[in-house]
PDB file of all heavy atoms in Angstrom:
ATOM      1  N   GLN A   1     -45.110 -27.615  36.694  1.00 44.00           N
ATOM      2  CA  GLN A   1     -44.552 -26.457  37.379  1.00 44.00           C
ATOM      3  C   GLN A   1     -43.537 -25.724  36.503  1.00 44.00           C
ATOM      4  O   GLN A   1     -43.313 -24.550  36.651  1.00 44.00           O
ATOM      5  CB  GLN A   1     -43.880 -26.904  38.685  1.00 44.00           C
ATOM      6  CG  GLN A   1     -44.870 -27.487  39.683  1.00 44.00           C
ATOM      7  CD  GLN A   1     -44.178 -27.984  40.928  1.00 44.00           C
ATOM      8  OE1 GLN A   1     -42.967 -28.112  40.953  1.00 44.00           O
ATOM      9  NE2 GLN A   1     -44.940 -28.250  41.965  1.00 44.00           N
ATOM     10  N   ALA A   2     -42.897 -26.425  35.616  1.00 45.00           N
ATOM     11  CA  ALA A   2     -41.918 -25.819  34.730  1.00 45.00           C
ATOM     12  C   ALA A   2     -42.434 -25.878  33.307  1.00 45.00           C
ATOM     13  O   ALA A   2     -43.296 -26.678  32.983  1.00 45.00           O
ATOM     14  CB  ALA A   2     -40.584 -26.549  34.837  1.00 45.00           C
ATOM     15  N   SER A   3     -41.918 -25.056  32.455  1.00 50.00           N
ATOM     16  CA  SER A   3     -42.330 -25.069  31.054  1.00 50.00           C
ATOM     17  C   SER A   3     -41.112 -24.985  30.167  1.00 50.00           C
ATOM     18  O   SER A   3     -40.079 -24.434  30.538  1.00 50.00           O
ATOM     19  CB  SER A   3     -43.283 -23.908  30.755  1.00 50.00           C
ATOM     20  OG  SER A   3     -42.632 -22.684  31.004  1.00 50.00           O
ATOM     21  N   ALA A   4     -41.240 -25.502  28.958  1.00 53.00           N
ATOM     22  CA  ALA A   4     -40.116 -25.545  28.038  1.00 53.00           C
ATOM     23  C   ALA A   4     -40.147 -24.359  27.100  1.00 53.00           C
ATOM     24  O   ALA A   4     -41.156 -23.683  26.961  1.00 53.00           O
ATOM     25  CB  ALA A   4     -40.166 -26.841  27.233  1.00 53.00           C
ATOM     26  N   THR A   5     -39.023 -24.125  26.457  1.00 51.00           N
ATOM     27  CA  THR A   5     -38.981 -23.096  25.434  1.00 51.00           C
ATOM     28  C   THR A   5     -39.639 -23.629  24.164  1.00 51.00           C
ATOM     29  O   THR A   5     -39.837 -24.830  24.009  1.00 51.00           O
ATOM     30  CB  THR A   5     -37.517 -22.710  25.122  1.00 51.00           C
ATOM     31  OG1 THR A   5     -36.851 -23.852  24.581  1.00 51.00           O
ATOM     32  CG2 THR A   5     -36.811 -22.240  26.387  1.00 51.00           C
ATOM     33  N   THR A   6     -39.954 -22.743  23.241  1.00 51.00           N
ATOM     34  CA  THR A   6     -40.620 -23.163  22.013  1.00 51.00           C
ATOM     35  C   THR A   6     -39.629 -23.534  20.913  1.00 51.00           C
ATOM     36  O   THR A   6     -40.023 -23.979  19.848  1.00 51.00           O
ATOM     37  CB  THR A   6     -41.529 -22.034  21.499  1.00 51.00           C
ATOM     38  OG1 THR A   6     -40.724 -20.855  21.297  1.00 51.00           O
ATOM     39  CG2 THR A   6     -42.637 -21.744  22.486  1.00 51.00           C
ATOM     40  N   ALA A   7     -38.332 -23.350  21.155  1.00 53.00           N
ATOM     41  CA  ALA A   7     -37.324 -23.668  20.140  1.00 53.00           C
ATOM     42  C   ALA A   7     -37.278 -25.172  19.891  1.00 53.00           C
ATOM     43  O   ALA A   7     -37.347 -25.969  20.826  1.00 53.00           O
ATOM     44  CB  ALA A   7     -35.954 -23.169  20.586  1.00 53.00           C
ATOM     45  N   LYS A   8     -37.166 -25.545  18.622  1.00 61.00           N
ATOM     46  CA  LYS A   8     -37.092 -26.951  18.257  1.00 61.00           C
ATOM     47  C   LYS A   8     -35.640 -27.437  18.300  1.00 61.00           C
ATOM     48  O   LYS A   8     -34.707 -26.700  17.976  1.00 61.00           O
ATOM     49  CB  LYS A   8     -37.655 -27.160  16.844  1.00 61.00           C
ATOM     50  CG  LYS A   8     -39.113 -26.760  16.688  1.00 61.00           C
ATOM     51  CD  LYS A   8     -40.024 -27.609  17.544  1.00 61.00           C
ATOM     52  CE  LYS A   8     -41.490 -27.233  17.332  1.00 61.00           C
ATOM     53  NZ  LYS A   8     -42.387 -27.997  18.230  1.00 61.00           N
ATOM     54  N   ARG A   9     -35.469 -28.699  18.727  1.00 57.00           N
ATOM     55  CA  ARG A   9     -34.129 -29.261  18.762  1.00 57.00           C
ATOM     56  C   ARG A   9     -33.719 -29.659  17.352  1.00 57.00           C
ATOM     57  O   ARG A   9     -34.469 -30.323  16.629  1.00 57.00           O
ATOM     58  CB  ARG A   9     -34.078 -30.468  19.687  1.00 57.00           C
ATOM     59  CG  ARG A   9     -32.717 -31.172  19.676  1.00 57.00           C
ATOM     60  CD  ARG A   9     -32.642 -32.320  20.651  1.00 57.00           C
ATOM     61  NE  ARG A   9     -32.437 -31.814  22.013  1.00 57.00           N
ATOM     62  CZ  ARG A   9     -33.295 -31.998  23.001  1.00 57.00           C
ATOM     63  NH1 ARG A   9     -34.411 -32.651  22.779  1.00 57.00           N
ATOM     64  NH2 ARG A   9     -33.047 -31.532  24.193  1.00 57.00           N
ATOM     65  N   ALA A  10     -32.513 -29.297  16.957  1.00 56.00           N
ATOM     66  CA  ALA A  10     -31.980 -29.666  15.650  1.00 56.00           C
ATOM     67  C   ALA A  10     -30.776 -30.579  15.856  1.00 56.00           C
ATOM     68  O   ALA A  10     -29.805 -30.196  16.516  1.00 56.00           O
ATOM     69  CB  ALA A  10     -31.573 -28.421  14.860  1.00 56.00           C
ATOM     70  N   TYR A  11     -30.830 -31.773  15.292  1.00 55.00           N
ATOM     71  CA  TYR A  11     -29.736 -32.729  15.439  1.00 55.00           C
ATOM     72  C   TYR A  11     -28.695 -32.530  14.343  1.00 55.00           C
ATOM     73  O   TYR A  11     -28.988 -32.038  13.246  1.00 55.00           O
ATOM     74  CB  TYR A  11     -30.267 -34.167  15.378  1.00 55.00           C
ATOM     75  CG  TYR A  11     -31.079 -34.567  16.578  1.00 55.00           C
ATOM     76  CD1 TYR A  11     -32.465 -34.677  16.499  1.00 55.00           C
ATOM     77  CD2 TYR A  11     -30.466 -34.819  17.793  1.00 55.00           C
ATOM     78  CE1 TYR A  11     -33.219 -35.034  17.608  1.00 55.00           C
ATOM     79  CE2 TYR A  11     -31.208 -35.182  18.909  1.00 55.00           C
ATOM     80  CZ  TYR A  11     -32.576 -35.290  18.807  1.00 55.00           C
ATOM     81  OH  TYR A  11     -33.316 -35.637  19.903  1.00 55.00           O
ATOM     82  N   HIS A  12     -27.468 -32.921  14.661  1.00 51.00           N
ATOM     83  CA  HIS A  12     -26.405 -32.925  13.661  1.00 51.00           C
ATOM     84  C   HIS A  12     -26.830 -33.816  12.497  1.00 51.00           C
ATOM     85  O   HIS A  12     -27.550 -34.802  12.680  1.00 51.00           O
ATOM     86  CB  HIS A  12     -25.108 -33.448  14.299  1.00 51.00           C
ATOM     87  CG  HIS A  12     -23.903 -33.336  13.431  1.00 51.00           C
ATOM     88  ND1 HIS A  12     -23.608 -34.250  12.443  1.00 51.00           N
ATOM     89  CD2 HIS A  12     -22.900 -32.413  13.392  1.00 51.00           C
ATOM     90  CE1 HIS A  12     -22.484 -33.903  11.851  1.00 51.00           C
ATOM     91  NE2 HIS A  12     -22.019 -32.789  12.409  1.00 51.00           N
ATOM     92  N   ARG A  13     -26.348 -33.517  11.317  1.00 53.00           N
ATOM     93  CA  ARG A  13     -26.773 -34.271  10.132  1.00 53.00           C
ATOM     94  C   ARG A  13     -26.418 -35.754  10.243  1.00 53.00           C
ATOM     95  O   ARG A  13     -27.105 -36.602   9.677  1.00 53.00           O
ATOM     96  CB  ARG A  13     -26.167 -33.680   8.867  1.00 53.00           C
ATOM     97  CG  ARG A  13     -24.653 -33.625   8.840  1.00 53.00           C
ATOM     98  CD  ARG A  13     -24.144 -32.832   7.624  1.00 53.00           C
ATOM     99  NE  ARG A  13     -22.701 -32.710   7.625  1.00 53.00           N
ATOM    100  CZ  ARG A  13     -21.880 -33.618   7.094  1.00 53.00           C
ATOM    101  NH1 ARG A  13     -22.364 -34.700   6.529  1.00 53.00           N
ATOM    102  NH2 ARG A  13     -20.572 -33.437   7.136  1.00 53.00           N
ATOM    103  N   TRP A  14     -25.339 -36.096  10.966  1.00 49.00           N
ATOM    104  CA  TRP A  14     -25.028 -37.510  11.166  1.00 49.00           C
ATOM    105  C   TRP A  14     -26.104 -38.197  12.009  1.00 49.00           C
ATOM    106  O   TRP A  14     -26.465 -39.341  11.758  1.00 49.00           O
ATOM    107  CB  TRP A  14     -23.671 -37.668  11.850  1.00 49.00           C
ATOM    108  CG  TRP A  14     -22.504 -37.366  10.962  1.00 49.00           C
ATOM    109  CD1 TRP A  14     -22.538 -37.189   9.604  1.00 49.00           C
ATOM    110  CD2 TRP A  14     -21.144 -37.206  11.361  1.00 49.00           C
ATOM    111  NE1 TRP A  14     -21.279 -36.931   9.131  1.00 49.00           N
ATOM    112  CE2 TRP A  14     -20.393 -36.927  10.182  1.00 49.00           C
ATOM    113  CE3 TRP A  14     -20.487 -37.256  12.576  1.00 49.00           C
ATOM    114  CZ2 TRP A  14     -19.017 -36.723  10.208  1.00 49.00           C
ATOM    115  CZ3 TRP A  14     -19.107 -37.050  12.607  1.00 49.00           C
ATOM    116  CH2 TRP A  14     -18.382 -36.787  11.438  1.00 49.00           C
ATOM    117  N   ALA A  15     -26.597 -37.496  13.017  1.00 48.00           N
ATOM    118  CA  ALA A  15     -27.606 -38.078  13.896  1.00 48.00           C
ATOM    119  C   ALA A  15     -28.963 -38.175  13.209  1.00 48.00           C
ATOM    120  O   ALA A  15     -29.793 -39.001  13.581  1.00 48.00           O
ATOM    121  CB  ALA A  15     -27.725 -37.256  15.174  1.00 48.00           C
ATOM    122  N   LYS A  16     -29.212 -37.333  12.195  1.00 54.00           N
ATOM    123  CA  LYS A  16     -30.498 -37.340  11.507  1.00 54.00           C
ATOM    124  C   LYS A  16     -30.527 -38.326  10.341  1.00 54.00           C
ATOM    125  O   LYS A  16     -31.593 -38.633   9.813  1.00 54.00           O
ATOM    126  CB  LYS A  16     -30.831 -35.931  10.974  1.00 54.00           C
ATOM    127  CG  LYS A  16     -31.264 -34.951  12.045  1.00 54.00           C
ATOM    128  CD  LYS A  16     -31.600 -33.602  11.470  1.00 54.00           C
ATOM    129  CE  LYS A  16     -32.865 -33.678  10.600  1.00 54.00           C
ATOM    130  NZ  LYS A  16     -34.067 -33.951  11.390  1.00 54.00           N
ATOM    131  N   ASN A  17     -29.358 -38.826   9.934  1.00 51.00           N
ATOM    132  CA  ASN A  17     -29.275 -39.747   8.809  1.00 51.00           C
ATOM    133  C   ASN A  17     -29.535 -41.171   9.301  1.00 51.00           C
ATOM    134  O   ASN A  17     -28.714 -41.757  10.004  1.00 51.00           O
ATOM    135  CB  ASN A  17     -27.888 -39.650   8.164  1.00 51.00           C
ATOM    136  CG  ASN A  17     -27.785 -40.442   6.870  1.00 51.00           C
ATOM    137  OD1 ASN A  17     -28.324 -41.539   6.750  1.00 51.00           O
ATOM    138  ND2 ASN A  17     -27.085 -39.872   5.896  1.00 51.00           N
ATOM    139  N   ASP A  18     -30.675 -41.747   8.932  1.00 51.00           N
ATOM    140  CA  ASP A  18     -31.045 -43.077   9.435  1.00 51.00           C
ATOM    141  C   ASP A  18     -30.050 -44.144   9.012  1.00 51.00           C
ATOM    142  O   ASP A  18     -29.801 -45.111   9.747  1.00 51.00           O
ATOM    143  CB  ASP A  18     -32.446 -43.455   8.930  1.00 51.00           C
ATOM    144  CG  ASP A  18     -33.533 -42.584   9.535  1.00 51.00           C
ATOM    145  OD1 ASP A  18     -33.259 -41.942  10.566  1.00 51.00           O
ATOM    146  OD2 ASP A  18     -34.641 -42.542   8.974  1.00 51.00           O
ATOM    147  N   THR A  19     -29.455 -43.996   7.820  1.00 50.00           N
ATOM    148  CA  THR A  19     -28.495 -44.988   7.334  1.00 50.00           C
ATOM    149  C   THR A  19     -27.230 -44.992   8.186  1.00 50.00           C
ATOM    150  O   THR A  19     -26.641 -46.046   8.451  1.00 50.00           O
ATOM    151  CB  THR A  19     -28.127 -44.698   5.865  1.00 50.00           C
ATOM    152  OG1 THR A  19     -29.319 -44.737   5.068  1.00 50.00           O
ATOM    153  CG2 THR A  19     -27.152 -45.726   5.335  1.00 50.00           C
ATOM    154  N   LEU A  20     -26.815 -43.806   8.639  1.00 53.00           N
ATOM    155  CA  LEU A  20     -25.627 -43.720   9.492  1.00 53.00           C
ATOM    156  C   LEU A  20     -25.959 -44.012  10.952  1.00 53.00           C
ATOM    157  O   LEU A  20     -25.196 -44.651  11.664  1.00 53.00           O
ATOM    158  CB  LEU A  20     -25.003 -42.324   9.387  1.00 53.00           C
ATOM    159  CG  LEU A  20     -24.540 -41.835   8.006  1.00 53.00           C
ATOM    160  CD1 LEU A  20     -23.898 -40.463   8.135  1.00 53.00           C
ATOM    161  CD2 LEU A  20     -23.565 -42.811   7.372  1.00 53.00           C
ATOM    162  N   GLU A  21     -27.096 -43.532  11.397  1.00 57.00           N
ATOM    163  CA  GLU A  21     -27.443 -43.577  12.814  1.00 57.00           C
ATOM    164  C   GLU A  21     -27.969 -44.927  13.260  1.00 57.00           C
ATOM    165  O   GLU A  21     -27.754 -45.374  14.381  1.00 57.00           O
ATOM    166  CB  GLU A  21     -28.468 -42.477  13.121  1.00 57.00           C
ATOM    167  CG  GLU A  21     -28.803 -42.301  14.576  1.00 57.00           C
ATOM    168  CD  GLU A  21     -27.619 -41.852  15.422  1.00 57.00           C
ATOM    169  OE1 GLU A  21     -26.543 -41.546  14.865  1.00 57.00           O
ATOM    170  OE2 GLU A  21     -27.767 -41.811  16.646  1.00 57.00           O
ATOM    171  N   ASP A  22     -28.707 -45.618  12.374  1.00 62.00           N
ATOM    172  CA  ASP A  22     -29.241 -46.957  12.683  1.00 62.00           C
ATOM    173  C   ASP A  22     -30.090 -46.979  13.956  1.00 62.00           C
ATOM    174  O   ASP A  22     -30.098 -47.983  14.680  1.00 62.00           O
ATOM    175  CB  ASP A  22     -28.108 -47.975  12.809  1.00 62.00           C
ATOM    176  CG  ASP A  22     -27.892 -48.781  11.527  1.00 62.00           C
ATOM    177  OD1 ASP A  22     -28.597 -48.522  10.534  1.00 62.00           O
ATOM    178  OD2 ASP A  22     -27.036 -49.671  11.522  1.00 62.00           O
ATOM    179  N   TYR A  23     -30.763 -45.878  14.260  1.00 73.00           N
ATOM    180  CA  TYR A  23     -31.617 -45.807  15.452  1.00 73.00           C
ATOM    181  C   TYR A  23     -30.848 -46.299  16.680  1.00 73.00           C
ATOM    182  O   TYR A  23     -31.306 -47.154  17.441  1.00 73.00           O
ATOM    183  CB  TYR A  23     -32.896 -46.610  15.234  1.00 73.00           C
ATOM    184  CG  TYR A  23     -33.756 -46.018  14.144  1.00 73.00           C
ATOM    185  CD1 TYR A  23     -33.596 -46.390  12.817  1.00 73.00           C
ATOM    186  CD2 TYR A  23     -34.708 -45.040  14.441  1.00 73.00           C
ATOM    187  CE1 TYR A  23     -34.369 -45.813  11.812  1.00 73.00           C
ATOM    188  CE2 TYR A  23     -35.480 -44.458  13.434  1.00 73.00           C
ATOM    189  CZ  TYR A  23     -35.310 -44.856  12.125  1.00 73.00           C
ATOM    190  OH  TYR A  23     -36.065 -44.271  11.146  1.00 73.00           O
ATOM    191  N   SER A  24     -29.650 -45.724  16.863  1.00 66.00           N
ATOM    192  CA  SER A  24     -28.721 -46.226  17.880  1.00 66.00           C
ATOM    193  C   SER A  24     -29.238 -46.062  19.299  1.00 66.00           C
ATOM    194  O   SER A  24     -28.815 -46.790  20.199  1.00 66.00           O
ATOM    195  CB  SER A  24     -27.374 -45.515  17.747  1.00 66.00           C
ATOM    196  OG  SER A  24     -27.514 -44.118  17.924  1.00 66.00           O
ATOM    197  N   LEU A  25     -30.142 -45.108  19.561  1.00 72.00           N
ATOM    198  CA  LEU A  25     -30.639 -44.886  20.918  1.00 72.00           C
ATOM    199  C   LEU A  25     -32.135 -45.121  21.019  1.00 72.00           C
ATOM    200  O   LEU A  25     -32.754 -44.713  21.996  1.00 72.00           O
ATOM    201  CB  LEU A  25     -30.329 -43.444  21.354  1.00 72.00           C
ATOM    202  CG  LEU A  25     -28.853 -43.051  21.368  1.00 72.00           C
ATOM    203  CD1 LEU A  25     -28.693 -41.576  21.688  1.00 72.00           C
ATOM    204  CD2 LEU A  25     -28.095 -43.888  22.361  1.00 72.00           C
ATOM    205  N   ARG A  26     -32.694 -45.776  20.038  1.00 81.00           N
ATOM    206  CA  ARG A  26     -34.150 -45.860  19.951  1.00 81.00           C
ATOM    207  C   ARG A  26     -34.627 -47.282  19.683  1.00 81.00           C
ATOM    208  O   ARG A  26     -33.850 -48.171  19.341  1.00 81.00           O
ATOM    209  CB  ARG A  26     -34.666 -44.990  18.801  1.00 81.00           C
ATOM    210  CG  ARG A  26     -34.260 -43.541  18.790  1.00 81.00           C
ATOM    211  CD  ARG A  26     -34.877 -42.879  17.570  1.00 81.00           C
ATOM    212  NE  ARG A  26     -34.468 -41.494  17.372  1.00 81.00           N
ATOM    213  CZ  ARG A  26     -35.076 -40.460  17.917  1.00 81.00           C
ATOM    214  NH1 ARG A  26     -36.101 -40.653  18.705  1.00 81.00           N
ATOM    215  NH2 ARG A  26     -34.660 -39.231  17.656  1.00 81.00           N
ATOM    216  N   TYR A  27     -35.916 -47.423  19.806  1.00 88.00           N
ATOM    217  CA  TYR A  27     -36.641 -48.557  19.244  1.00 88.00           C
ATOM    218  C   TYR A  27     -36.428 -48.559  17.730  1.00 88.00           C
ATOM    219  O   TYR A  27     -36.484 -47.516  17.084  1.00 88.00           O
ATOM    220  CB  TYR A  27     -38.120 -48.386  19.602  1.00 88.00           C
ATOM    221  CG  TYR A  27     -39.109 -49.089  18.703  1.00 88.00           C
ATOM    222  CD1 TYR A  27     -39.421 -50.432  18.884  1.00 88.00           C
ATOM    223  CD2 TYR A  27     -39.771 -48.383  17.691  1.00 88.00           C
ATOM    224  CE1 TYR A  27     -40.357 -51.058  18.066  1.00 88.00           C
ATOM    225  CE2 TYR A  27     -40.703 -48.993  16.880  1.00 88.00           C
ATOM    226  CZ  TYR A  27     -40.988 -50.332  17.068  1.00 88.00           C
ATOM    227  OH  TYR A  27     -41.909 -50.943  16.262  1.00 88.00           O
TER     228      TYR A  27
END
């Protein structure tokens, strides 16, 4: 019933750095 926008989500560089982030919210 709802639809999303086409804009892509961009994460802060700290959140995108695997060494810093350590997949803190993920598998």
Side-chain angles (χ1 to χ4, degrees):
Q1 296 177 347
S3 61
T5 64
T6 57
K8 299 296 182 184
R9 175 177 282 118
Y11 290 106
H12 188 279
R13 58 188 177 87
W14 287 349
K16 285 181 68 68
N17 188 321
D18 292 342
T19 301
L20 301 183
E21 187 64 7
D22 262 2
Y23 295 89
S24 60
L25 300 175
R26 306 180 185 272
Y27 156 83

